[in-house]
């Protein structure tokens, strides 16, 4: 009998110098608890069906990974301080106790390590509760209390200080683009005076999958787009958003807005990165506090439009291909159909996973979990679901449209010794350009 | 071979999430609440029904009366060839005559079988049934007083192995909850007249009987579904084997010595088949009693003779009472052994797992099978079970 | 004052008042928590998304039915059964007619039986699952159990009074109903109304993104 694989990560030993301010979390919860959150918390009937949709529960079968459990810290605050009729209950002593540092620590792993904000649980919920949004709010409260994985928080702070979580400063960006441009003989406009389109980059791509940048450049050039990358604002990932640091999230967004305004871009293209899309497209204006002065599209949306307009021509392959839906682009982004259009133009043998599209399983590393060291074992275990899905399709090529998914999957497949290559959708497209 | 994942269950349980509550406590609380609900119903109904019974009782909403529309006058001159004595004798024996009422059975003045049925029910079934039930209870009380709880011989190992799956437990408690509801209401219907009526008086008893009857009728059909589910869930592993005979000859270990058994021992297997058969008898007779007007055509008669459905109903009440008594009598033993009678047995049906020591002492062959066939998956289940996450 | 007069008179009005005012208070209170406006550019209509979500989350979707079949069958059995009993059982129709003057065709007895069987089986099975499933056990709190048992006792006393021949049984049923009505606004039973809000908010959020959740 072989030894059991570790079914869950050990909770990180609480650093002794951590001072936990439970009151800060309480205040943040009280302030963030709008009517939608109140509806969610009042509607949850504890049926537990959400566990059936969560990949963490799926691979461990451990009941603690039930998504609805992640609502409990805020539920305590809501029931004690905010819920209508809680006054009557307080008189009778029927409200739950106040949050304590110990209680918060107990939930730390659930709020950070084991939620990728993928939103699958919402689909199965009979009440339609958007648990991911509550977890995102909870992260802010936990961070305000002084909790949160140090590596994720560090990534957020590095983004603020150096422009990117992976230390991609403006100088490094300039160097690397020069190198990529020379090596691949492709024109990559940097800091043009004006441009119609501002293309942003994900530092994961720039540092680990630079071919993606080249591929984007090839596609942009082939379609004859007036575009540029700007050193004023280039980092599309937003670890401030993922780590529950609203202040840093706002800085990251402001940089991009400034860059776009300075070149007069009417369109901002988000690269292959799921949460970068969600952060900019769906919450950017809310974090900024005013409407964005440009349109935001994901690279798959943009490419699909170019193909539709006849500006990009592809040599169709017969090789079978399957597509992993990044949660923030398909289920929570709404760009599900665009990827399908691209795939149809790319190959005559597109094989969908089961489930696919808006119902697809998460890679295991979304929502910043990729950057949390203590979550590594857990997300490697989760990746087995994806392996099974891909193998069931029998497709030769396996692509996705998110560098974070790709990095997660590459790390996990090394651990699990899975030979299938994970490719980027724009990269395989660039190889099939007609001219 | 001992499992490599030797976890200390109590330590892990203590480390488990504080929100996890002991399921047994909740389950027992639930059953208690069920009983409480029934008793509260009874008590409240009695409290208010007593003095004002006369004013608060009406004929049932669906009551029918037997008043017939007026017909033609009776013909006179009915002197026949038979003597009056013979005529009355025949009538007493259930002979059918002619009647203006054309409904089935209306030609019979005295339904003789009905009297037979009444005698069987009152003189045989009821007295024997209550003596059987009281006897079983008495035996259990005496046994408990003398022998006490059957304790584990060896200390608990702290390691647990899964015994009943989620499905098995849900089905078991589904049947159990209906068993209690139907048992209590059924006993009121069966024994209420001789035992309760003299105690609480006619007004209160009418309320109680009405409530018990309605509740019994309503829960009956669900019980049929549940007993079917019980059969299909537990049929596997309940076939009799040679080892069961050996177990029986050793008196199940009660005579001293160790009686080997597989997943289920002879007693448990007997209980399974007993419950299934009693359940079947109760279901069929119960359906006849519930839907006397909806019998299949070949069972219905339209002649002046006593209609077959009425005779069937008479038989059905007897079968129903006998099967119920048999079911409850065995059930009392089962409940006794599953709760206070034997240490470590209840948790198999509440938590879903049993201690390895218990498994070894009561179901050694099953224990060995389990250990031999334990896969990573089952071991993982054990680890979680030990942590309280059953 | 007899037991029946008490439960049909003062207690009934008290319970109704607590129920109506409590539910309204809670619902309005939730809405008054407010929500900041979404400044992102919508891809599709939020209202459409809200309506779609309300409809869609009533039925299984997203290919998860097999995994949640138990909840689906028991949940539907209980809720449909209870709904039918509540509004179409003959004594209830008569009671509503007595209160409001409006009546409609009640269920025949066989329909009542089927609805009651489904409701009872569903409720008992859902509660048993709550007791045995590790996920549900970890989630459940006292409110879940109290609500389940209150509803059970209400249904049980209703059935015991089915002969409609004893005032005390009718009064007992009414008393349980009144306890349930008073408990309702303070409990998770509120999901009978808040499910609309929860689905609508999620549906609107997703709907703006062009996704039906």
């Amino acid at each position: 009998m072989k030894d059991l694989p570790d079914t869950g990560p050990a909770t990180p030993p609480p650093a002794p110098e951590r001072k936990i301010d439970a009151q800060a979390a309480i205040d943040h919860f009280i302030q963030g608890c709008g009517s939608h959150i109140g509806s969610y918390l009042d509607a949850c009937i504890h049926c537990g069906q959400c566990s059936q949709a969560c990949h963490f529960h799926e691979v461990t079968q451990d009941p603690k990974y039930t998504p609805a459990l992640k609502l409990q810290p805020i539920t305590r605050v809501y029931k004690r301080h905010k819920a209508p009729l809680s006054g009557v209950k307080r008189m009778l002593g029927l409200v739950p106790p106040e949050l304590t540092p110990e209680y918060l620590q107990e939930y730390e792993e659930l709020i950070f390590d084991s939620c990728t904000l993928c939103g699958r649980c919402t689909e199965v919920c009979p009440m339609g509760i958007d648990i991911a949004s509550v977890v995102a709010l909870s992260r802010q409260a936990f961070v305000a209390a002084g909790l949160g994985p140090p590596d994720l928080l560090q990534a957020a702070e590095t983004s603020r200080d150096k422009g990117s979580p992976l230390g991609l400063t403006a100088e490094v960006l300039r160097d690397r683009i020069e190198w990529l441009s020379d090596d691949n003989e492709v024109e990559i406009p940097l800091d043009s005076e004006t441009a119609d389109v501002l293309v942003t980059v994900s530092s994961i791509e720039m540092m680990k999958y630079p071919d993606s940048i080249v591929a984007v450049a090839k596609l942009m050039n082939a379609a004859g787009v007036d575009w540029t990358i700007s050193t004023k604002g280039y980092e599309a990932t937003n670890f401030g958003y993922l780590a529950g640091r609203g202040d840093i999230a706002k800085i990251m967004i402001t940089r991009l807005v400034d860059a776009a305004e300075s070149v007069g871009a009417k369109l901002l293209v988000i690269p292959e990165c799921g949460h970068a899309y969600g952060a900019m497209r769906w919450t950017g204006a809310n974090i900024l506090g005013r409407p964005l002065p440009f349109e935001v599209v994901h690279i798959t949306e943009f490419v699909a439009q170019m193909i539709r307009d006849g500006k990009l021509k592809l040599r169709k392959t017969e090789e079978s291909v399957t597509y992993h839906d990044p949660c923030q682009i398909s289920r929570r982004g709404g760009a599900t159909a665009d990827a399908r259009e691209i795939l149809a133009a790319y190959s005559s043998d597109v094989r969908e996973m089961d489930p696919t599209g808006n119902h697809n399983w998460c890679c295991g590393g979304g929502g910043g979990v990729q950057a949390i060291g203590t979550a590594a074992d857990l997300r490697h275990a989760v990746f087995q679901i994806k392996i099974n899905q891909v193998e069931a399709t029998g497709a030769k090529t396996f692509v996705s449209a998110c560098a974070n998914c790709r990095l997660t999957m590459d790390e996990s497949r090394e651990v699990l010794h899975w030979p299938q290559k994970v490719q980027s959708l724009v990269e395989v497209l660039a190889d099939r350009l007609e001219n | 071979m001992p499992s490599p994942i030797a976890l200390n269950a109590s330590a892990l349980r203590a480390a488990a999430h504080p929100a996890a509550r002991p399921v047994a406590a909740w389950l027992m609380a639930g059953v208690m609440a069920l009983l409480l609900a029934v008793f509260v119903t009874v008590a409240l109904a009695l409290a208010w029904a007593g003095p004002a019974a006369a004013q608060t009782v009406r004929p049932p909403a669906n009551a029918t009366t037997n008043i017939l529309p007026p017909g033609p006058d009776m013909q006179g001159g009915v002197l026949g060839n038979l003597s009056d004595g013979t005529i009355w004798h025949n009538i007493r024996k259930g002979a059918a005559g002619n009647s203006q009422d054309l409904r089935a059975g209306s030609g019979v003045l005295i339904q003789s079988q009905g009297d037979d049925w009444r005698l069987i029910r009152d003189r045989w079934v009821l007295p024997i049934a209550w003596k059987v039930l009281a006897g079983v209870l008495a035996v259990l009380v005496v046994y408990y007083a003398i022998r006490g709880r059957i304790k584990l011989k060896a200390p608990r190992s702290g390691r647990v192995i899964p015994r009943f799956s989620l499905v098995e437990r849900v089905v078991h408690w589904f049947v159990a909850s209906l068993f209690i509801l139907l048992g209590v209401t059924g006993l009121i219907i069966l024994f209420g007249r001789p035992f309760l009526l003299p105690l609480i008086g006619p007004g209160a008893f009418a309320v109680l009987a009405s409530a018990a009857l309605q509740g019994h009728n309503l829960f009956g059909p669900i019980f049929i579904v549940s007993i079917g589910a019980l059969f299909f869930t537990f049929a596997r592993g309940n076939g009799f084997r040679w080892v069961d005979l050996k177990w029986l000859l050793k008196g199940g270990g009660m005579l001293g010595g160790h009686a080997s058994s597989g997943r289920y021992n002879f007693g448990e297997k007997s209980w399974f088949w007993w419950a299934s058969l009693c359940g079947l008898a109760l279901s069929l007779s119960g359906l006849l009693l519930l839907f006397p007007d909806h019998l299949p055509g070949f069972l219905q008669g339209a002649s002046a003779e006593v209609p077959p459905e009425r005779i069937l109903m008479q038989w059905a009440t007897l079968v129903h009472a006998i099967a119920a008594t048999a079911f409850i009598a065995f059930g009392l033993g089962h409940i006794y052994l599953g709760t206070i009678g034997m240490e470590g047995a209840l948790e198999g049906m509440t938590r879903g797992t049993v201690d390895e020591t218990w498994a070894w002492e009561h179901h050694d062959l099953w224990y060995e099978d389990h250990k031999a066939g334990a896969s990573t998956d089952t071991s993982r289940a054990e680890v979680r079970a030990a942590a309280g996450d059953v | 004052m007899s037991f029946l007069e008490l439960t049909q008179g003062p207690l009934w009005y008290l319970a109704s008042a607590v129920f109506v005012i409590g539910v309204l208070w809670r619902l309005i209170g939730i809405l008054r928590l407010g929500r900041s406006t979404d400044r992102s550019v919508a891809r599709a209509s939020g209202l459409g998304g809200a309506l779609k979500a309300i409809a869609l989350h009533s039925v299984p979707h997203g290919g998860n039915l097999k995994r949640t079949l138990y909840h689906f069958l028991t949940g539907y059995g209980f809720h449909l059964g209870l709904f039918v009993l509540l509004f179409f059982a003959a004594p209830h129709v008569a009671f509503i007619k007595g209160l409001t003057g409006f009546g409609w065709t009640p269920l025949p007895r066989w329909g009542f039986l089927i609805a009651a069987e489904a409701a009872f089986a569903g409720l008992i099975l859902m509660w048993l699952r709550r007791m045995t499933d590790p996920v549900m056990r970890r989630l459940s709190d006292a409110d879940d159990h109290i609500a389940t048992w209150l509803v059970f006792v209400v249904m049980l006393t209703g059935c015991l009074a089915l002969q409609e021949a004893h005032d005390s049984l009718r009064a007992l049923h009414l008393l349980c109903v009144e306890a349930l009505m008073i408990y309702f606004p303070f409990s998770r039973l509120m999901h009978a109304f808040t499910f609309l809000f929860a689905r609508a908010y999620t549906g609107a959020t997703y709907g703006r993104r062009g996704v039906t959740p």
Side-chain angles (χ1 to χ4, degrees):
Chain A
M1 202 158 79
K2 67 174 187 180
D3 219 25
L4 286 174
D6 196 357
T7 53
T11 318
E17 77 275 17
R18 258 197 337 182
K19 273 190 74 175
I20 300 166
D21 179 7
Q23 190 56 45
I26 295 165
D27 294 342
H28 202 97
F29 275 135
I30 291 177
Q31 191 224 324
C33 191
S35 50
H36 56 306
I37 306 275
S39 305
Y40 293 156
L41 303 182
D42 271 345
C44 179
I45 46 158
H46 296 168
C47 71
Q49 290 181 75
C50 43
S51 65
Q52 294 300 315
C54 179
H55 41 272
F56 292 114
H57 181 269
E58 176 75 6
V59 295
T60 62
Q61 293 292 309
D62 186 334
K64 79 172 172 180
Y65 294 125
T66 301
L69 269 181
K70 297 164 188 168
L71 301 177
Q72 292 204 343
I74 188 172
T75 303
R76 275 201 174 192
V77 176
Y78 174 71
K79 282 192 165 177
R80 190 175 172 87
H81 298 282
K82 203 97 193 246
L85 296 180
S86 59
V88 180
K89 288 192 195 170
R90 200 176 304 113
M91 281 189 284
L92 300 170
L94 291 174
V95 287
E98 198 72 274
L99 289 184
T100 61
E102 296 74 35
Y103 185 85
L104 288 173
Q105 269 176 299
E106 201 184 304
Y107 276 87
E108 195 179 5
E109 189 215 341
L110 292 184
I111 298 294
F112 290 94
D113 293 35
S114 54
C115 181
T116 55
L117 309 178
C118 78
R120 274 196 109 232
C121 42
T122 302
E123 290 203 307
V124 76
C125 177
M127 304 292 156
I129 298 171
D130 187 5
I131 297 176
S133 70
V134 182
V135 172
L137 173 66
S138 303
R139 284 189 176 180
Q140 294 173 11
F142 274 58
V143 168
L147 291 158
D151 32 14
L152 183 62
L153 292 168
Q154 186 56 51
E157 281 170 14
T158 312
S159 315
R160 180 191 58 200
D161 301 339
K162 302 207 166 146
S164 134
L166 296 179
L168 181 74
T169 59
E171 291 74 52
V172 179
L173 177 76
R174 205 170 282 128
D175 286 355
R176 283 187 81 85
I177 282 183
E178 200 171 309
W179 160 65
L180 286 173
S181 171
D182 289 352
D183 257 24
N184 297 281
E185 294 173 357
V186 59
E187 195 196 332
I188 307 180
L190 182 69
D191 286 332
S192 308
E193 283 282 302
T194 60
D196 293 343
V197 176
L198 179 72
V199 173
T200 58
V201 301
S202 143
S203 49
I204 298 177
E205 287 180 333
M206 198 48 109
M207 307 305 273
K208 298 195 169 150
Y209 305 113
D211 287 348
S212 264
I213 310 287
V214 176
V216 169
K218 281 182 182 165
L219 291 172
M220 290 287 166
N221 294 341
V225 178
D226 171 22
W227 67 291
T228 186
I229 296 174
S230 165
T231 48
K232 283 203 187 97
Y234 50 89
E235 179 60 69
T237 67
N238 193 330
F239 273 72
Y241 173 73
L242 292 178
R245 287 289 301 267
D247 52 334
I248 298 179
K250 190 166 182 175
I251 292 172
M252 300 307 288
I253 284 166
T254 310
R255 282 182 191 155
L256 293 185
V257 171
D258 291 348
E261 281 179 336
S262 75
V263 297
K266 285 280 156 263
L267 188 69
L268 185 110
V269 173
I270 299 288
E272 289 195 334
C273 178
H275 86 265
Y277 180 62
M280 199 66 191
R281 176 71 178 87
W282 299 115
T283 55
N286 298 328
I287 293 172
L288 199 64
R290 62 182 166 93
L292 298 174
F294 45 77
E295 201 187 326
V296 181
V297 290
H298 186 247
I299 183 76
T300 54
E301 284 180 284
F302 188 77
V303 170
Q305 186 62 46
M306 293 296 111
I307 293 174
R308 234 175 278 145
D309 294 350
K311 289 183 181 162
L312 280 179
K313 294 254 185 318
L314 299 170
R315 288 174 291 124
K316 210 170 191 170
T317 172
E318 283 174 3
E319 227 176 58
S320 54
V321 62
T322 190
Y323 176 69
H324 161 72
D325 288 271
C327 306
Q328 305 301 329
I329 291 165
S330 288
R331 178 170 41 251
R332 289 175 74 78
T336 323
D338 299 276
R340 293 335 188 255
E341 275 182 52
I342 299 174
L343 289 168
Y346 164 75
S347 167
S348 54
D349 187 4
V350 182
R351 302 187 184 175
E352 292 288 357
M353 294 180 190
D354 178 31
T356 187
N358 293 343
H359 314 305
N360 214 325
W361 287 99
C362 174
C363 65
V369 171
Q370 157 64 32
I372 302 175
T374 48
D377 287 346
L378 192 58
R379 71 179 145 85
H380 295 326
V382 164
F383 188 60
Q384 188 61 47
I385 302 176
K386 193 51 69 182
I387 294 179
N388 298 345
Q389 271 187 299
V390 174
E391 286 185 346
T393 66
K396 273 195 90 156
T397 313
F398 171 36
V399 295
S400 188
C402 170
N404 186 69
C405 292
R406 194 177 172 194
L407 181 61
T408 302
M409 296 197 278
D410 270 341
E411 281 184 18
S412 294
R413 73 188 184 88
E414 208 165 293
V415 172
L416 300 178
H417 308 294
W418 190 52
Q420 175 71 276
K421 219 172 128 190
V422 186
Q423 289 176 279
S424 130
L425 185 56
V426 289
E427 280 178 41
V428 299
L429 280 190
D431 289 346
R432 306 295 298 179
L433 275 175
E434 247 181 19
N435 24 26
Chain B
M1 176 195 120
S3 164
I5 328 128
L7 290 173
N8 183 303
S10 54
L12 267 171
R13 219 168 282 146
H17 196 275
R21 298 174 185 81
V23 70
W26 273 109
L27 206 48
M28 295 311 281
V31 175
M32 288 299 134
L34 181 73
L35 287 173
L36 194 69
V38 174
F39 289 136
V40 166
T41 309
V42 172
L44 283 172
L46 296 186
W48 268 285
Q55 293 83 37
T56 60
V57 181
R58 291 174 305 281
N62 59 348
T64 53
T65 53
N66 283 326
I67 300 167
L68 293 167
D73 292 336
M74 290 286 276
Q75 288 174 353
V78 289
L79 282 180
N81 297 326
L82 296 173
S83 70
D84 282 2
T86 311
I87 291 172
W88 284 112
H89 179 79
N90 288 343
I91 286 174
R92 172 62 190 85
K93 289 293 173 194
N98 296 317
S99 166
Q100 296 290 335
D101 182 4
L102 294 177
R103 285 177 302 184
S106 58
V108 179
L109 197 57
I110 296 178
Q111 197 220 358
S112 206
Q113 297 93 327
D115 201 40
D116 297 344
W117 167 80
R118 187 178 61 80
L119 287 173
I120 295 172
R121 182 178 186 276
D122 292 353
R123 301 253 173 104
W124 292 95
V125 177
L126 257 63
I128 293 177
W130 80 257
K131 279 169 198 149
V132 165
L133 293 178
V136 169
L137 266 181
V139 166
L140 291 177
V141 169
V142 170
Y143 183 81
Y144 187 70
I146 296 171
R147 174 70 170 77
R149 190 165 209 219
I150 302 172
K151 293 231 167 65
L152 289 174
K153 294 185 189 84
R156 281 174 179 261
S157 67
R159 289 184 301 273
V160 293
I161 53 180
R163 178 150 176 83
F164 293 114
S165 72
L166 178 66
V167 174
E168 288 167 333
R169 281 177 285 152
V170 165
V171 168
H172 170 270
W173 289 111
F174 188 39
V175 177
S177 51
L178 293 169
F179 178 87
I180 291 170
L181 264 167
L182 288 166
V184 171
T185 52
L187 288 173
I188 292 173
I189 297 169
L190 192 60
F191 295 115
R193 205 167 252 282
F195 288 103
L196 285 176
L197 182 59
L199 278 179
I200 60 177
F205 180 67
V207 171
L208 190 59
S210 165
L213 178 73
Q214 296 302 329
H216 199 81
N217 284 354
L218 209 69
F219 280 103
I222 323 178
F223 183 70
I224 299 177
V225 176
S226 77
I227 206 87
L230 184 83
F231 182 83
F232 288 111
T233 312
F234 287 93
R236 223 178 112 227
N238 262 312
F240 288 103
R241 302 272 164 81
W242 272 116
V243 63
D244 297 322
L245 187 66
K246 285 186 242 165
W247 185 92
L248 185 62
L249 292 175
K250 285 187 179 179
M254 288 194 189
L255 308 172
H258 184 85
S260 271
S261 110
R263 183 169 184 205
Y264 302 116
N265 63 34
F266 177 79
E268 288 165 307
K269 288 177 182 175
S270 307
W271 169 230
F272 169 77
W273 290 105
W274 190 271
S276 300
L277 286 178
C278 289
L280 183 68
L282 286 166
S283 302
L284 293 178
S285 56
L287 281 175
L288 280 176
L289 295 171
L290 265 180
F291 303 107
D293 305 330
H294 297 83
L295 291 179
F298 70 93
L299 287 176
Q300 291 180 15
S303 71
E305 304 286 336
V306 177
E309 65 261 33
R310 193 164 304 159
I311 296 169
L312 265 176
M313 268 188 79
Q314 289 163 356
W315 278 109
T317 57
L318 296 181
V319 168
H320 207 74
I322 293 167
T325 307
F327 200 178
I328 295 172
F330 208 142
L332 288 173
H334 170 73
I335 293 168
Y336 169 78
L337 275 179
T339 53
I340 56 169
M342 179 186 285
E343 181 184 359
L346 183 63
E347 53 208 68
M349 214 24 115
T350 52
R351 305 174 59 85
T353 58
V354 289
D355 194 273
E356 281 190 0
T357 306
W358 185 89
W360 166 251
E361 289 184 8
H362 295 285
H363 299 274
D364 52 341
L365 303 178
W366 171 67
Y367 172 80
E368 277 160 12
D369 277 358
H370 175 80
K371 282 290 135 191
S375 64
T376 316
D377 272 357
T378 50
S379 306
R380 193 181 291 171
E382 286 166 30
V383 173
R384 279 203 310 278
D389 299 328
V390 180
Chain C
M1 184 181 282
S2 76
F3 183 29
L4 183 63
E5 281 164 346
L6 180 73
T7 52
Q8 275 186 335
L11 270 183
W12 168 257
Y13 292 111
L14 173 74
S16 304
V18 171
F19 178 78
V20 172
I21 296 170
V23 167
L24 284 178
W25 183 280
R26 184 127 173 216
L27 293 181
I28 293 168
I30 289 171
L31 293 179
R32 274 172 52 91
L33 292 174
R35 192 189 187 197
S36 48
T37 45
D38 191 343
R39 291 191 173 88
S40 65
V41 182
R43 188 181 272 138
S45 152
L47 179 65
L51 295 176
K52 268 190 236 166
I54 288 171
L56 194 66
H57 280 262
S58 295
V59 292
H61 60 284
N64 286 309
L65 177 59
K66 238 194 225 162
R67 293 162 164 269
T68 56
L69 194 62
Y70 187 98
H71 286 98
F72 176 70
L73 292 177
T74 57
Y76 258 72
F78 167 71
H79 282 98
L80 284 181
L82 185 67
F83 181 83
V84 168
L85 290 183
L86 185 56
F87 291 107
F88 294 98
H92 291 174
V93 174
F95 185 79
I96 295 169
K97 192 165 187 193
L99 275 181
T100 63
F102 294 105
W104 46 84
T105 316
L107 270 184
R109 188 171 162 82
W110 59 263
F112 176 88
L113 279 178
I114 292 172
E117 306 289 325
F120 271 114
L123 184 64
I124 295 173
L125 285 169
M126 286 198 295
W127 183 75
L128 287 173
R129 172 101 188 191
R130 195 176 280 294
M131 296 308 303
T132 43
D133 176 38
V135 166
M136 288 186 81
R137 262 176 53 207
R138 182 162 278 192
L139 282 170
S140 301
D141 56 22
D143 185 11
D144 293 313
H145 295 282
I146 296 169
T148 306
W149 279 95
L150 262 179
V151 172
F152 180 80
V153 168
V154 164
M155 285 173 24
L156 180 72
T157 52
C159 287
L160 298 187
L162 204 56
Q163 206 174 22
E164 292 186 73
H166 300 276
D167 282 353
S168 46
L169 292 177
R170 180 187 177 87
L172 184 70
H173 178 50
L174 273 165
L175 184 71
C176 293
V177 169
E178 283 148 12
L180 182 73
M181 285 165 79
I182 291 171
Y183 183 69
F184 195 103
F186 301 95
S187 72
R188 201 164 283 117
L189 290 168
M190 278 298 291
H191 78 271
F193 300 101
T194 49
F195 82 97
L196 282 173
F197 290 6
R199 287 184 194 174
Y201 278 123
T202 298
T205 307
Y206 275 82
R208 291 171 53 83
R209 302 180 183 189
V211 180
T212 313

